[in-house]
Amino acid sequence: MTRFLKYAVEHDRKIRMMLMLEGVMLQKTVRVIEYDDQNVTLLIGAKKIPETIPMGDILSCDYARGDHGEE
């Protein structure tokens, strides 16, 4: 999972993420602003306000539609 977070930050790309948000499991396309061992700050979907979530609330990550991680 950290590999996808690092890719998103270094290449300024969106990724697809399964996450728990307010007790609901969601799949969203997100832009990762920053991350550390405890938290991840994201722009979720088209929202303009960054949201910080605990690393434990991220269930899985994948490349966004049309992105194959080739760069």
Side-chain angles (χ1 to χ4, degrees):
M1 176 174 47
T2 307
R3 178 179 129 213
F4 287 104
L5 298 175
K6 182 178 179 181
Y7 170 80
V9 171
E10 289 180 354
H11 297 286
D12 193 31
R13 297 284 186 111
K14 291 183 179 182
I15 59 173
R16 183 172 47 186
M17 186 178 285
M18 288 292 297
L19 66 150
M20 293 296 291
L21 194 59
E22 298 174 5
V24 179
M25 185 170 41
L26 301 170
Q27 176 180 305
K28 293 288 186 178
T29 301
V30 301
R31 183 171 303 277
V32 181
I33 297 172
E34 63 183 7
Y35 68 97
D36 58 30
D37 294 338
Q38 303 296 319
N39 298 306
V40 180
T41 303
L42 309 166
L43 290 175
I44 301 172
K47 291 183 181 178
K48 302 290 184 194
I49 301 171
E51 188 157 345
T52 301
I53 63 169
M55 186 71 82
D57 284 354
I58 299 173
L59 306 174
S60 69
C61 298
D62 194 9
Y63 297 112
R65 184 176 180 182
D67 189 356
H68 303 288
E70 300 166 351
E71 223 176 27

